[in-house]
């Protein structure tokens, strides 16, 4: 992937949307411009998990403004990520189409643990080096990410379904801050934290860091009232709790000097932070300035400098699921050879990102037999399930879905692959993979004949030596079956000599 002097990250959080533009100098990132708008997307989630029209309009208006700032940047120099509300909303797919049109760039919906990884990456790059195990807690609008890491490496990552917007709406929706509401909110948060308490409590780390707007707001309040010189303390939170209960209403919190956009979500954020301190046995937490958007920038920088976390994940999965590396390499080399032959015939304006498609095909080829660790029968279906549902650091949910789709389509009936014809505009990568699997069936380094795969419109043709075909009846039979499978989905595939 090409390197760029300027890159940008867009963090579409459940409370705020943030944009960071940065200059790249070697392996360092220097901020050039930043924008933040309080969209409060999570507040627009209806009880049945649909984004209402009002919240969508707020989001789209913000994205249009962000899009103006990003105009002129290459598509691969910008990475936009959607977080918890995008994961929860049942109408997220329809909204994403409008959101991408408004922004002018693709938007990736990332899984909770991927969000946690990126948050830690941002925090770690923004703080002095340390040998300590660090606990990073990020209370977002709809979820809370907890990570334990060392240096730049996250070791344990979790994402919990609780956030300052969702909890403020759920427990303090009428604007009242009562003792009962606070108790209920804290108990609910403590229940969520019970699932990670053993691995994330004190003793597993030496330093606690808060990286969210909630953490910064709480630290500012404690400092203003002389309850903490730096960061957040358990003692300071206890005093702040009394102050919030004494105020009794959100509208009375403006006297505390908080930013107006932070006041409505402070009670929910406080309840979660109080529960975090109690359950994870925290006495003091420092506050970081960097978080998700900085992590996205550094992850993007890694991709541009050929240090892609997705490559690391694929290698780890190959080891974890005991994939035969020799067979994977055979299929990878042959499928890429087929794909490159077809790509040479693309028109210059064809709507296919050849480099991205080739990179994805490479990952698919390396992981196509991952399902054999479960069972050989139907292994392509098992492989697809793993790739679509496993935690895969570096990959967005859509990327995982696409990997699963291609792996599922590597063999058998194409017409039975869900959503295939509705998503695939260009069949070349799937055909290249299927042919590679077909010709590498012997799992040995046999000498294959010269093969030419060409594409014309929606028609594919492979040229093979006639004598070789006659000497390999099993392969000939498989190719004839392949012709029928492609015909069933309206694609012409033929074999010539």
């Amino acid at each position: 992937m090409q390197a760029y002097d300027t890159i940008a990250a867009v963090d579409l959080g459940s409370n705020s949307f943030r944009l960071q533009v940065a200059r790249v100098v070697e392996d360092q990132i220097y901020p050039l411009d930043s924008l933040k708008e309080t969209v409060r997307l999570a507040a627009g989630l209806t009880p049945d998990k649909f984004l209402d029209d009002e919240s969508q309009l707020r989001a789209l208006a913000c994205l249009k403004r962000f899009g103006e700032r990003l105009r002129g940047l290459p598509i691969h120099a910008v990475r936009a990520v959607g977080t918890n509300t995008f994961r929860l909303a049942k109408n997220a797919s329809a909204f994403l189409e409008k959101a991408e049109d408004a922004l002018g760039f693709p938007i990736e919906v990332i899984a909770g643990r991927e969000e946690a990884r990126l948050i830690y990456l941002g925090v770690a790059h923004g703080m002095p080096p340390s040998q300590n195990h660090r606990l990073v807690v990020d209370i977002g609008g709809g979820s809370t990410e907890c990570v334990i890491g060392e240096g730049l490496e996250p070791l344990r990552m979790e994402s919990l379904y609780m956030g300052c917007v969702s909890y403020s709406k759920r427990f303090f929706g009428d604007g009242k801050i009562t003792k009962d509401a606070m108790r209920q909110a804290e108990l609910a948060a403590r229940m969520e934290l019970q699932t990670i308490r053993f691995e994330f409590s004190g003793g597993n780390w030496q330093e606690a860091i808060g990286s969210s707007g909630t953490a910064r707001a709480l630290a500012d309040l404690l400092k203003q009232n002389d309850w903490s010189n730096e960061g957040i303390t358990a003692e300071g939170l206890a005093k702040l709790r009394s102050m919030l209960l004494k105020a009794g209403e959100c509208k009375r919190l403006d006297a505390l000097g908080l930013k107006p956009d932070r006041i409505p979500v402070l009670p929910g954020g406080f309840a979660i932070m109080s529960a975090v301190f109690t359950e994870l046995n925290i006495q003091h937490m420092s506050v970081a300035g960097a978080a998700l958007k900085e992590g996205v920038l550094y992850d993007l920088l890694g991709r541009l400098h050929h240090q892609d976390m997705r490559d690391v994940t694929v290698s780890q999965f190959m080891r974890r699921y005991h994939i035969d590396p020799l067979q994977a390499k055979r299929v990878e080399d042959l499928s890429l050879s087929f794909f490159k032959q077809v790509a040479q015939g693309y028109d210059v304006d064809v709507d296919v990102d050849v480099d991205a498609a080739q990179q994805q095909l490479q990952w698919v080829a390396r992981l196509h037999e991952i399902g054999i660790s479960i069972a050989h029968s139907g292994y392509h279906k098992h492989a697809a399930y793993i790739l679509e549902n496993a935690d895969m650091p570096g990959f967005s949910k859509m990327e995982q879905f696409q990997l699963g789709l291609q792996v599922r389509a590597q063999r058998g009936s194409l017409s039975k692959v869900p959503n295939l014809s509705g998503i695939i505009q260009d069949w070349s990568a799937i055909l290249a993979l299927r042919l590679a699997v077909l010709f590498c069936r012997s799992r040995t380094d046999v000498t294959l004949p010269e093969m030419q795969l060409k594409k014309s419109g929606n028609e594919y043709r492979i040229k093979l030596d006639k004598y070789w075909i006659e000497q390999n009846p099993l392969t000939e039979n498989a190719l004839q079956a392949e012709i029928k499978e492609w015909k069933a989905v309206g694609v012409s595939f033929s074999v010539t000599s």
Side-chain angles (χ1 to χ4, degrees):
M1 191 179 291
Q2 180 182 345
Y4 301 100
D5 295 330
T6 303
I7 60 176
V10 183
D11 165 14
L12 305 180
S14 297
N15 186 43
S16 302
F17 284 7
R18 294 177 171 86
L19 164 66
Q20 182 75 60
V21 182
R23 181 166 57 97
V24 177
V25 180
E26 296 180 348
D27 290 332
Q28 292 299 317
I29 291 174
Y30 297 91
L32 290 176
D33 195 9
S34 62
L35 295 171
K36 174 195 170 187
E37 293 195 24
T38 303
V39 176
R40 206 154 289 143
L41 197 64
L45 272 179
T46 62
D48 53 352
K49 302 298 186 217
F50 282 87
L51 272 177
D52 63 25
D53 292 339
E54 186 178 348
S55 64
Q56 290 190 44
L57 289 174
R58 290 197 306 270
L60 294 175
C62 172
L63 291 173
K64 286 180 181 178
R65 290 187 282 273
F66 282 11
E68 179 185 346
R69 177 61 184 86
L70 295 170
R71 197 174 298 153
L73 287 179
I75 189 170
H76 292 301
V78 177
R79 188 179 180 199
V81 298
T83 58
N84 186 67
T85 301
F86 285 86
R87 295 193 289 265
L88 290 178
K90 294 179 180 178
N91 56 340
S93 296
F95 173 63
L96 267 176
E97 292 184 17
K98 295 182 286 185
E100 290 181 338
D101 286 340
L103 183 64
F105 291 89
I107 296 172
E108 306 173 29
V109 180
I110 55 175
R113 288 188 179 178
E114 173 65 1
E115 183 179 352
R117 183 186 73 84
L118 292 171
I119 287 168
Y120 182 84
L121 192 62
V123 171
H125 274 95
M127 299 195 74
S130 173
Q131 297 300 316
N132 288 338
H133 280 198
R134 286 168 161 165
L135 167 69
V136 174
V137 178
D138 188 287
I139 301 172
S143 64
T144 294
E145 279 65 49
C146 298
V147 191
I148 293 176
E150 180 181 4
L152 299 177
E153 185 70 24
L155 304 175
R156 299 172 188 166
M157 299 166 285
E158 287 294 344
S159 180
L160 304 174
Y161 287 113
M162 56 183 187
C164 63
V165 175
S166 58
Y167 265 46
S168 294
K169 180 180 177 181
R170 175 180 171 187
F171 297 102
F172 309 98
D174 58 359
K176 305 291 185 182
I177 308 174
T178 66
K179 184 179 293 186
D180 183 62
M182 184 61 74
R183 184 176 65 84
Q184 292 296 328
E186 289 174 333
L187 283 175
R190 290 181 66 179
M191 287 291 292
E192 287 287 331
L193 288 157
Q194 284 289 317
T195 59
I196 68 167
R197 181 180 178 182
F198 177 76
E199 290 189 326
F200 283 81
S201 60
N204 294 300
W205 45 266
Q206 291 80 47
E207 182 182 359
I209 302 167
S211 62
S212 60
T214 290
R216 289 189 289 273
L218 293 175
D220 288 344
L221 280 175
L222 297 188
K223 188 172 184 178
Q224 289 170 18
N225 289 276
D226 294 324
W227 293 335
S228 174
N229 291 327
E230 187 274 326
I232 305 169
T233 64
E235 183 180 355
L237 286 178
K239 293 178 179 178
L240 181 56
R241 189 178 193 276
S242 298
M243 176 187 281
L244 293 175
L245 293 176
K246 185 177 180 180
E249 294 180 90
C250 287
K251 63 182 181 181
R252 294 182 180 175
L253 299 180
D254 55 0
L256 301 179
L258 285 169
K259 294 179 180 179
D261 64 331
R262 181 55 55 181
I263 291 174
V265 298
L266 183 70
F270 171 85
I272 294 171
M273 185 64 80
S274 175
V276 167
F277 265 65
T278 299
E279 289 300 315
L280 304 187
N281 192 26
I282 302 172
Q283 295 302 313
H284 178 267
M285 174 183 285
S286 57
V287 178
L292 179 59
K293 66 182 187 300
E294 289 81 9
V296 171
L297 282 175
Y298 276 103
D299 198 58
L300 178 58
L301 180 64
R303 295 183 181 186
L304 298 175
H305 287 191
H306 307 291
Q307 297 170 344
D308 197 329
M309 185 63 198
R310 294 172 296 181
D311 290 327
V312 176
T313 296
V314 169
S315 296
Q316 290 175 342
F317 269 52
M318 290 181 70
R319 291 192 296 271
R320 182 189 305 175
Y321 292 96
H322 308 293
I323 290 176
D324 180 350
L326 296 178
Q327 178 67 2
K329 188 68 167 61
R330 294 184 194 103
V331 172
E332 177 186 343
D333 290 346
L334 189 53
S335 61
L336 289 176
S337 174
F338 282 136
F339 183 77
K340 289 174 182 177
Q341 290 178 31
V342 173
Q344 289 176 359
Y346 284 150
D347 296 329
V348 292
D349 60 345
V350 71
D351 189 22
V352 176
D353 187 332
V354 174
D355 291 338
Q358 185 172 308
Q359 184 181 42
Q360 181 169 294
L361 178 57
Q362 187 177 49
W363 292 327
V364 168
R366 293 177 182 180
L367 298 174
H368 78 282
E369 289 191 333
I370 196 172
I372 289 181
S373 61
I374 297 175
H376 185 271
S377 175
Y379 75 83
H380 57 303
K381 299 175 185 177
H382 302 312
Y385 181 84
I386 293 171
L387 295 176
E388 290 168 358
N389 294 279
D391 285 320
M392 298 185 68
F395 287 93
S396 68
K397 292 175 74 68
M398 178 54 71
E399 285 175 326
Q400 289 188 231
F401 176 77
Q402 291 171 340
L403 292 180
L405 195 67
Q406 284 190 245
V407 165
R408 185 181 278 107
Q410 70 177 281
R411 60 185 291 209
S413 172
L414 285 167
S415 59
K416 292 183 180 179
V417 179
N419 303 315
L420 189 59
S421 59
I423 290 178
I424 302 298
Q425 286 79 42
D426 185 85
W427 297 87
S428 303
I430 287 178
L431 176 58
L433 178 67
R434 287 175 70 94
L435 290 176
V437 170
L438 187 156
F439 282 107
C440 295
R441 186 171 185 174
S442 69
R443 309 182 72 86
T444 58
D445 294 324
V446 297
T447 301
L448 294 171
E450 182 180 348
M451 295 179 280
Q452 294 181 341
L453 182 64
K454 294 185 177 181
K455 177 179 186 289
S456 177
N458 204 33
E459 297 182 1
Y460 293 88
R461 183 174 67 257
I462 187 170
K463 186 175 181 181
L464 281 167
D465 178 73
K466 182 179 180 181
Y467 177 76
W468 187 90
I469 294 177
E470 292 174 352
Q471 296 301 309
N472 293 271
L474 182 63
T475 301
E476 181 183 15
N477 187 63
L479 287 169
Q480 293 303 315
E482 200 64 17
I483 292 172
K484 294 178 182 178
E485 286 299 334
W486 286 103
K487 184 178 181 180
V489 292
V491 178
S492 174
F493 171 66
S494 59
V495 180
T496 64
S497 56

